[in-house]
Amino acid sequence: MGRTSVTRRRLLIGSGTVTVLGILTACAPGGGGSSAASAGAVEVSTDISGLPEQTLTVWDQETRGGQNEQMERLNAAFMEKYPNITINRVSQSFDDLQTTLRLALTGDDAPDVVQANNGRNTMGQFVPAGQLISLDPWISAYGWDQSYSPAILSYSSYSEDGSVFGEGSLWGLPQVGEAVGIYYSPSRLRALGLEPPTTWEAFGKQLQTIKDAGQTPLMLGNVEKWPALHVFGPVQGAHVPAEQIRDLGFGNAGASWVTDENLAAATELQDWAKKGYFNEGFNGLDYDTVWQDFAKGTGIYLMAGSWLAPDLADVLGEDVVFMLPPASSETGRVASTGGTGLPFAITSAAKEPNVAAAYIDFITNADAMQVLADTGNVPVNDTASFATDDISVTNDVMTAFDSLTSTGEVLPYLDYATPTFDQVLGDALQGLLDGKSTPQQFLEVLEAAYTEFTGD
């Protein structure tokens, strides 16, 4: 455990209600850190069926096929179980939610439950601003410390002042597990006489083989800038020790971008662009258009997140496979960006926090995990148990996520690092891929932003 503290609490238990008094502090993710729900007491109840009729406003970004379907099913089931609660769902794209949520939380009509990016640029700012309620009072009531692993909870944990990421209080719960990997069409590979690569080095050689055959090796739409982070993540994981990447990704002091390993990663990524491995004009094309082009038959490989699996399967059926980036000789272990989807959090404007907490539990409990699996999503808990013997990209993803979290190296999304690192890294990657900066200059830009934030 990182930080120690004195914990003083008194629990009064009766009729399904727990009153938690005092300041709750801890040094492990989800271990009862400081609760911002009120300055004094938080009365916790898991029985919301007798509450007055009310509306629960939920903002999410589960807009694509299977993502949207699971939310619709779970919301309908919640309202059937609790007819006194009406869900007002506002669903937006990831980019739109990032833009609107910050302003919404300062307004008079703030939502009750939101999906908040757990990086420092979003959750890391909402926490010290007092715009979210800690979930700590409900952890034991719903058994979240039993259903979620400490590693997964750490992705949504902050100290109350937001200075430390990865430990402290719990501020959100995710539904889905995520991993960035490589999609490919077996029929397209066979047409080129290729087999799926088993090492990172073999993957790199295949890209040139595909280019020489007149095909596009890698598909990328990067006008939004963040998609290139999902390509750079696995490249970095092939060259840089996982612990160094975690320090950089969480924005905690003690690491450096300017290293030989990071230089090797930046150089390889830029070389891919220089050699024409990406589709033409990739920096000016939007993310959705390009993965849809891949689904229609353009390109050989798509490096992207597991969340695209249901939509790709809708078009390609069994002719699409998801694989983790193969291990490199440098690191010897499979490593890729991943962890969880955006966690669901309770805002400080929530009219009835117990209803909000009950909703979050309902969409993340064991039954919800089955709904997620049935709609082609990746349950964050007990993932392997939902895989079947059928040939499907959904099963590929579940197996891959389980493998990554059990025997591989899960790397954080790099935009977690600082409140502005999504823009800093997004801009820097566009410049690196366009050849407007050298790999060394690219790293120096990142180092400047990182050290300015950490104070190193």
Side-chain angles (χ1 to χ4, degrees), residues 239-300:
H239 296 279
V240 184
E243 280 306 310
Q244 291 184 25
I245 297 174
R246 291 190 188 102
D247 285 338
L248 292 169
F250 283 130
N252 294 325
S256 174
W257 277 98
V258 183
T259 65
D260 290 342
E261 294 88 354
N262 278 314
L263 183 62
T267 299
E268 180 170 48
L269 182 61
Q270 188 176 71
D271 284 347
W272 286 0
K274 286 181 177 179
K275 293 175 180 177
Y277 292 167
F278 295 106
N279 47 294
E280 186 175 351
F282 59 87
N283 263 343
L285 299 175
D286 71 88
Y287 177 75
D288 286 334
T289 295
V290 170
W291 70 254
Q292 289 165 6
D293 286 345
F294 173 80
K296 295 172 185 175
T298 303
I300 304 302

Side-chain angles (χ1 to χ4, degrees), residues 149-174:
S149 72
I152 292 298
L153 293 179
S154 72
Y155 272 65
S156 302
S157 297
Y158 280 90
S159 59
E160 188 179 1
D161 63 1
S163 63
V164 179
F165 187 5
E167 62 181 69
S169 289
L170 182 67
W171 302 93
L173 277 184

